[in-house]
Amino acid sequence: MTKIKLMFGLLLCFGAVQAQDDITEQANKEAEKALQASTNITYEANDKLTSNDFVTAEADYRRAISKSNKNAAARFNLGNAYYNRESFGEAFGRYKEAGEAAEEKGDKHKAFHNMGNVFMKNKEYEKAVEAYKQALRSNPNDDETRYNLALAKKMLEKQQDEQKNDQNQDDQDKKDQENEDKDKNQDQNNEGGDNEKKDEGEQKEDENKDKGDQGENGDDKPEENQKGDGDEKKEQEKKPNEGDQPQDKKQQPRPNQLSEQQIQNLLEAMQNEEKKVQEKMEARKVRGKKIKNEKDW
């Protein structure tokens, strides 16, 4: 009984394995069939691309890619079509897909080589170096890839030197700007101090000028110090009685200026003098007048 169960179990396992193999074989056949159909469409796309019919070729390549995920050629060729039209971003994406789908080293080599070319176009030299190295791992004997790798290394070194020089220049410019700002602030501080000193000097000069003007006009000095010796007697004669103070200080005489009384006295003296002159002139006219003799007839 036990042997019968064991035999039955073995038959079941064998049947399961056989069924799985059948499924795998069927899947492989379908994959092969899909790859063949995809390859045929790829050929058609290649013909269209050769005839400069990019639009139809692009559509056929996309259709071929959708038919089989193992068709690296369709992806690679579509990448070349994009590359030739300088659509480097789309070209790189297709080259990457081709490298992932490729099963043969030769196909992987071509995909990574062209990825390196895209990096070179974009001046991403460090990535280009890595892509060419990856390509050489699949095909170490490719002279073109080795040449491109050497060129990428040289361009990377030059780029790094330029970046270093640019960084040094930026640092120097930043330092110069900081020094310039520092000098500018120092100049402003010095200018502010000079202005303060200048304002203080001007203020003192104005004060001294005001004092000098006051001394000349007699605004701050007593009147007895402003007058001469001869004016003191006249001032005493003109001194008003107690309580008779001038109502307006502007009427008070200033240095070298006659008072109203002095002006009145001068006018009266001039009038008297003029009157005397006129009297003398009249007297002369009387004495000098000829008398006409009348004749008796």
Side-chain angles (χ1 to χ4, degrees):
M1 185 66 182
T2 303
K3 292 182 179 180
I4 295 174
K5 290 182 179 180
L6 180 61
M7 292 294 295
F8 182 74
L10 291 174
L11 290 173
L12 289 176
C13 290
F14 180 77
V17 172
Q18 185 64 37
Q20 184 64 38
D21 291 341
D22 292 339
I23 294 172
T24 302
E25 184 178 358
Q26 183 65 28
N28 289 337
K29 289 182 178 180
E30 291 179 357
E32 289 292 334
K33 184 178 180 180
L35 178 58
Q36 185 61 47
S38 177
T39 302
N40 294 335
I41 298 173
T42 301
Y43 292 150
E44 295 177 2
N46 293 341
D47 292 338
K48 296 294 189 301
L49 190 63
T50 303
S51 302
N52 295 324
D53 188 358
F54 173 79
V55 176
T56 305
E58 181 185 24
D60 287 344
Y61 282 131
R62 289 179 178 276
R63 191 156 56 92
I65 292 171
S66 65
K67 287 284 186 180
S68 174
N69 56 5
K70 292 183 178 181
N71 188 348
R75 292 168 171 81
F76 182 82
N77 291 351
L78 180 57
N80 286 342
Y82 286 137
Y83 185 92
N84 292 331
R85 297 176 68 88
E86 297 185 353
S87 299
F88 300 120
E90 294 178 344
F92 176 81
R94 294 303 178 179
Y95 289 144
K96 185 178 180 181
E97 291 177 359
E100 294 172 350
E103 295 179 354
E104 296 181 4
K105 290 185 176 181
D107 294 337
K108 286 184 177 295
H109 164 259
K110 290 188 294 183
F112 281 106
H113 178 96
N114 284 9
M115 287 170 63
N117 291 347
V118 172
F119 286 131
M120 290 290 287
K121 287 290 185 179
N122 293 332
K123 297 182 179 180
E124 298 177 279
Y125 302 120
E126 186 173 1
K127 293 181 179 180
V129 169
E130 295 301 321
Y132 290 134
K133 286 181 178 180
Q134 189 67 26
L136 287 174
R137 291 187 182 99
S138 299
N139 184 4
N141 299 321
D142 188 81
D143 293 335
E144 184 178 355
T145 303
R146 276 200 300 269
Y147 173 83
N148 288 3
L149 175 60
L151 180 60
K153 288 181 178 180
K154 185 176 180 180
M155 297 301 294
L156 175 61
E157 183 179 356
K158 181 179 179 182
Q159 185 182 61
Q160 290 174 343
D161 291 339
E162 290 176 353
Q163 290 175 351
K164 185 177 180 180
N165 293 334
D166 292 341
Q167 183 63 40
N168 292 337
Q169 185 63 41
D170 292 340
D171 294 340
Q172 185 63 38
D173 292 342
K174 184 178 180 180
K175 185 176 180 180
D176 293 342
Q177 184 64 40
E178 290 176 353
N179 293 333
E180 183 178 351
D181 294 340
K182 184 178 179 180
D183 294 339
K184 186 176 180 180
N185 293 332
Q186 185 64 33
D187 293 340
Q188 290 177 350
N189 293 333
N190 294 336
E191 184 177 354
D194 294 339
N195 290 335
E196 290 179 359
K197 292 180 180 179
K198 184 176 180 182
D199 293 340
E200 292 177 358
E202 292 178 352
Q203 184 177 2
K204 290 181 179 179
E205 184 178 354
D206 293 339
E207 291 177 356
N208 294 334
K209 184 176 180 181
D210 292 340
K211 291 180 180 178
D213 295 339
Q214 291 173 358
E216 293 177 359
N217 297 330
D219 292 340
D220 295 336
K221 293 183 180 181
E223 290 187 2
E224 57 267 23
N225 293 335
Q226 299 170 2
K227 303 179 189 295
D229 294 337
D231 295 334
E232 184 177 356
K233 185 176 180 181
K234 295 179 182 180
E235 185 65 19
Q236 291 176 353
E237 293 177 354
K238 296 182 292 177
K239 184 175 181 180
N241 295 331
E242 294 181 359
D244 296 334
Q245 296 295 332
Q247 296 179 357
D248 191 355
K249 291 184 179 181
K250 292 183 180 180
Q251 296 179 358
Q252 295 179 2
R254 293 189 178 185
N256 301 326
Q257 182 177 356
L258 297 176
S259 64
E260 294 182 359
Q261 185 62 40
Q262 289 174 332
I263 294 174
Q264 185 66 29
N265 293 337
L266 287 175
L267 290 175
E268 290 178 357
M270 291 175 64
Q271 290 176 357
N272 292 333
E273 188 66 25
E274 185 179 357
K275 185 177 181 182
K276 290 179 181 180
V277 173
Q278 289 179 354
E279 289 177 354
K280 288 180 181 181
M281 293 296 294
E282 291 295 332
R284 289 178 183 176
K285 289 181 181 180
V286 171
R287 288 195 300 268
K289 186 178 180 181
K290 293 182 179 181
I291 300 176
K292 183 179 179 180
N293 296 326
E294 296 180 356
K295 292 181 179 182
D296 294 335
W297 296 93

Short mmCIF file of all heavy atoms in Angstrom, two decimals, residues 52-72:
data_model
loop_
_atom_site.label_atom_id
_atom_site.label_comp_id
_atom_site.label_asym_id
_atom_site.label_seq_id
_atom_site.Cartn_x
_atom_site.Cartn_y
_atom_site.Cartn_z
N ASN A 52 14.87 58.48 -45.16
CA ASN A 52 14.66 59.79 -44.50
C ASN A 52 13.20 60.01 -44.09
O ASN A 52 12.76 61.16 -43.97
CB ASN A 52 15.12 60.94 -45.40
CG ASN A 52 16.62 60.92 -45.63
OD1 ASN A 52 17.38 60.56 -44.74
ND2 ASN A 52 17.04 61.29 -46.83
N ASP A 53 12.48 58.93 -43.91
CA ASP A 53 11.11 59.04 -43.42
C ASP A 53 11.14 58.79 -41.91
O ASP A 53 10.81 57.71 -41.41
CB ASP A 53 10.21 58.01 -44.13
CG ASP A 53 8.73 58.20 -43.80
OD1 ASP A 53 8.43 59.10 -42.98
OD2 ASP A 53 7.91 57.44 -44.34
N PHE A 54 11.56 59.81 -41.19
CA PHE A 54 11.79 59.64 -39.76
C PHE A 54 10.48 59.36 -39.01
O PHE A 54 10.46 58.53 -38.09
CB PHE A 54 12.45 60.90 -39.18
CG PHE A 54 12.56 60.88 -37.68
CD1 PHE A 54 13.56 60.16 -37.06
CD2 PHE A 54 11.64 61.56 -36.89
CE1 PHE A 54 13.66 60.13 -35.68
CE2 PHE A 54 11.74 61.52 -35.51
CZ PHE A 54 12.76 60.81 -34.90
N VAL A 55 9.43 60.01 -39.39
CA VAL A 55 8.17 59.87 -38.66
C VAL A 55 7.68 58.42 -38.70
O VAL A 55 7.34 57.82 -37.68
CB VAL A 55 7.10 60.82 -39.23
CG1 VAL A 55 5.76 60.58 -38.53
CG2 VAL A 55 7.54 62.28 -39.06
N THR A 56 7.68 57.82 -39.92
CA THR A 56 7.23 56.43 -40.05
C THR A 56 8.21 55.48 -39.37
O THR A 56 7.80 54.50 -38.71
CB THR A 56 7.09 56.05 -41.53
OG1 THR A 56 6.21 56.98 -42.19
CG2 THR A 56 6.53 54.65 -41.69
N ALA A 57 9.50 55.77 -39.50
CA ALA A 57 10.52 54.91 -38.89
C ALA A 57 10.37 54.93 -37.37
O ALA A 57 10.43 53.86 -36.72
CB ALA A 57 11.90 55.39 -39.29
N GLU A 58 10.15 56.11 -36.79
CA GLU A 58 9.99 56.20 -35.34
C GLU A 58 8.78 55.39 -34.88
O GLU A 58 8.84 54.66 -33.87
CB GLU A 58 9.83 57.66 -34.92
CG GLU A 58 9.68 57.86 -33.43
CD GLU A 58 9.39 59.30 -33.06
OE1 GLU A 58 8.87 60.05 -33.92
OE2 GLU A 58 9.66 59.69 -31.91
N ALA A 59 7.68 55.50 -35.63
CA ALA A 59 6.47 54.75 -35.27
C ALA A 59 6.72 53.25 -35.35
O ALA A 59 6.27 52.48 -34.48
CB ALA A 59 5.32 55.16 -36.18
N ASP A 60 7.44 52.81 -36.38
CA ASP A 60 7.71 51.37 -36.53
C ASP A 60 8.64 50.87 -35.42
O ASP A 60 8.44 49.77 -34.89
CB ASP A 60 8.34 51.10 -37.89
CG ASP A 60 7.34 51.23 -39.03
OD1 ASP A 60 6.12 51.21 -38.74
OD2 ASP A 60 7.76 51.38 -40.20
N TYR A 61 9.64 51.67 -35.07
CA TYR A 61 10.53 51.26 -33.99
C TYR A 61 9.75 51.11 -32.67
O TYR A 61 9.96 50.15 -31.91
CB TYR A 61 11.66 52.28 -33.80
CG TYR A 61 12.76 52.18 -34.82
CD1 TYR A 61 13.23 53.31 -35.50
CD2 TYR A 61 13.36 50.96 -35.11
CE1 TYR A 61 14.24 53.24 -36.43
CE2 TYR A 61 14.39 50.86 -36.05
CZ TYR A 61 14.82 52.00 -36.71
OH TYR A 61 15.84 51.92 -37.64
N ARG A 62 8.88 52.05 -32.41
CA ARG A 62 8.08 51.98 -31.18
C ARG A 62 7.18 50.73 -31.20
O ARG A 62 6.98 50.08 -30.18
CB ARG A 62 7.24 53.25 -31.04
CG ARG A 62 8.05 54.51 -30.69
CD ARG A 62 7.15 55.73 -30.58
NE ARG A 62 7.89 56.92 -30.21
CZ ARG A 62 8.20 57.27 -28.95
NH1 ARG A 62 7.80 56.48 -27.95
NH2 ARG A 62 8.86 58.37 -28.71
N ARG A 63 6.63 50.43 -32.38
CA ARG A 63 5.77 49.25 -32.51
C ARG A 63 6.58 47.97 -32.30
O ARG A 63 6.13 47.03 -31.66
CB ARG A 63 5.11 49.25 -33.89
CG ARG A 63 3.98 48.23 -34.06
CD ARG A 63 3.06 48.70 -35.18
NE ARG A 63 3.77 48.92 -36.42
CZ ARG A 63 3.93 47.99 -37.38
NH1 ARG A 63 3.44 46.78 -37.22
NH2 ARG A 63 4.54 48.30 -38.51
N ALA A 64 7.80 47.97 -32.82
CA ALA A 64 8.67 46.81 -32.65
C ALA A 64 9.05 46.62 -31.18
O ALA A 64 9.09 45.49 -30.67
CB ALA A 64 9.92 46.96 -33.50
N ILE A 65 9.32 47.73 -30.49
CA ILE A 65 9.68 47.65 -29.08
C ILE A 65 8.53 47.11 -28.24
O ILE A 65 8.72 46.32 -27.31
CB ILE A 65 10.12 49.04 -28.57
CG1 ILE A 65 11.46 49.44 -29.24
CG2 ILE A 65 10.25 49.07 -27.06
CD1 ILE A 65 11.87 50.87 -28.99
N SER A 66 7.30 47.54 -28.60
CA SER A 66 6.14 47.08 -27.85
C SER A 66 5.87 45.59 -28.06
O SER A 66 5.26 44.93 -27.23
CB SER A 66 4.90 47.89 -28.24
OG SER A 66 4.56 47.66 -29.60
N LYS A 67 6.34 45.04 -29.18
CA LYS A 67 6.11 43.62 -29.49
C LYS A 67 6.99 42.71 -28.63
O LYS A 67 6.57 41.61 -28.25
CB LYS A 67 6.40 43.34 -30.96
CG LYS A 67 5.37 43.87 -31.94
CD LYS A 67 4.12 42.98 -31.94
CE LYS A 67 3.15 43.43 -33.01
NZ LYS A 67 1.92 42.56 -33.01
N SER A 68 8.21 43.15 -28.35
CA SER A 68 9.13 42.27 -27.63
C SER A 68 10.07 43.11 -26.76
O SER A 68 10.66 44.09 -27.24
CB SER A 68 9.96 41.43 -28.60
OG SER A 68 10.94 40.70 -27.92
N ASN A 69 10.22 42.73 -25.49
CA ASN A 69 11.13 43.42 -24.60
C ASN A 69 12.57 42.91 -24.74
O ASN A 69 13.47 43.40 -24.06
CB ASN A 69 10.69 43.27 -23.15
CG ASN A 69 10.55 41.82 -22.73
OD1 ASN A 69 10.88 40.92 -23.50
ND2 ASN A 69 10.04 41.58 -21.54
N LYS A 70 12.75 41.95 -25.65
CA LYS A 70 14.08 41.42 -25.89
C LYS A 70 14.72 42.00 -27.14
O LYS A 70 15.87 41.67 -27.45
CB LYS A 70 14.02 39.89 -26.03
CG LYS A 70 13.66 39.17 -24.73
CD LYS A 70 13.71 37.67 -24.93
CE LYS A 70 13.40 36.93 -23.65
NZ LYS A 70 13.48 35.45 -23.83
N ASN A 71 14.01 42.85 -27.84
CA ASN A 71 14.53 43.41 -29.09
C ASN A 71 15.41 44.63 -28.76
O ASN A 71 14.96 45.76 -28.70
CB ASN A 71 13.37 43.81 -30.01
CG ASN A 71 13.86 44.21 -31.39
OD1 ASN A 71 15.05 44.40 -31.61
ND2 ASN A 71 12.92 44.33 -32.33
N ALA A 72 16.71 44.35 -28.56
CA ALA A 72 17.66 45.43 -28.26
C ALA A 72 17.95 46.28 -29.50
O ALA A 72 18.22 47.48 -29.41
CB ALA A 72 18.95 44.84 -27.71
#
